[in-house]
Amino acid sequence: MPASLKYELVSELRDRLQGAEAVFVCEYRGLNVAQATEIRRLVREAGGEMKVAKNTLVRIALSEVGMASPEDLTVGPNVYVIAPTDSPAVAKALKEFAAKKENKAMIIKGAVMGTDVLDLNQVLALADLPSRDQLIAQVVGTIAAPLRGLVTVLSGPARGLVTCLSQLAEKKGSDAA
């Protein structure tokens, strides 16, 4: 491979890795075309991107963007799954795909998150986290709960007054009849 082409590939990888939340390293040897297409679709739907590249070039690009470049993960035929934003969703897609019996050729080796290197167990734990949207919904619900309680408490006296007035009106209406 000519040196100029290597520089271009490293530059392209660096651009894709810039600002990425996580990079998952998987071995894909033994996947057929249909399986490879399916995992690419699942990763794309989760917000990630799959890239096959030479391990040395990926290590160079990772170090250039300030991420860890583990030697032990980047050995053999690998596919690199880049998660720009929602890394738990991408990890969940990889985990669910690899868990199927017919997809046993897909092996999750680990991941890189910033300067940290994650092993398989940590990647699986990341996959078990709720998605970003679920976490945001939980935070909003937690913030809204006290406000909802306050509104209920403040509306109590007004509701009591309305109930009392309606009972008085009913009583006067029944007394007049």
Side-chain angles (χ1 to χ4, degrees), residues 81-131:
V81 182
I82 302 166
T85 54
D86 196 3
S87 55
V90 175
K92 190 173 296 201
L94 289 172
K95 177 185 172 186
E96 289 173 358
F97 180 83
K100 293 180 184 173
K101 185 178 179 183
E102 63 270 12
N103 300 331
K104 66 181 179 195
M106 179 72 156
I107 300 168
I108 302 169
K109 290 182 168 183
V112 176
M113 287 188 86
T115 57
D116 297 326
V117 178
L118 307 179
D119 63 8
L120 174 62
N121 292 329
Q122 291 170 320
V123 171
L124 296 178
L126 181 66
D128 292 335
L129 287 176
S131 71

Side-chain angles (χ1 to χ4, degrees), residues 131-166:
S131 71
R132 178 184 171 105
D133 292 337
Q134 289 172 327
L135 288 173
I136 290 171
Q138 288 175 353
V139 168
V140 169
T142 303
I143 291 171
L147 296 176
R148 198 172 319 133
L150 179 65
V151 168
T152 303
V153 168
L154 292 177
S155 65
R159 191 177 324 116
L161 178 65
V162 169
T163 305
C164 187
L165 291 175
S166 68

Side-chain angles (χ1 to χ4, degrees), residues 24-129:
F24 300 94
V25 183
C26 303
E27 189 173 323
Y28 66 97
R29 186 180 358 189
L31 290 180
N32 61 33
V33 174
Q35 291 169 323
T37 304
E38 181 185 354
I39 186 60
R40 285 183 184 275
R41 180 186 57 79
L42 291 172
V43 166
R44 196 175 324 106
E45 287 174 358
E49 174 187 9
M50 293 183 76
K51 184 76 176 158
V52 176
K54 288 188 171 283
N55 294 325
T56 307
L57 300 180
V58 171
R59 280 194 300 267
I60 292 169
L62 283 169
S63 64
E64 285 185 5
V65 297
M67 297 178 90
S69 55
E71 295 278 335
D72 56 335
L73 285 181
T74 54
V75 176
N78 293 323
V79 63
Y80 297 93
V81 182
I82 302 166
T85 54
D86 196 3
S87 55
V90 175
K92 190 173 296 201
L94 289 172
K95 177 185 172 186
E96 289 173 358
F97 180 83
K100 293 180 184 173
K101 185 178 179 183
E102 63 270 12
N103 300 331
K104 66 181 179 195
M106 179 72 156
I107 300 168
I108 302 169
K109 290 182 168 183
V112 176
M113 287 188 86
T115 57
D116 297 326
V117 178
L118 307 179
D119 63 8
L120 174 62
N121 292 329
Q122 291 170 320
V123 171
L124 296 178
L126 181 66
D128 292 335
L129 287 176

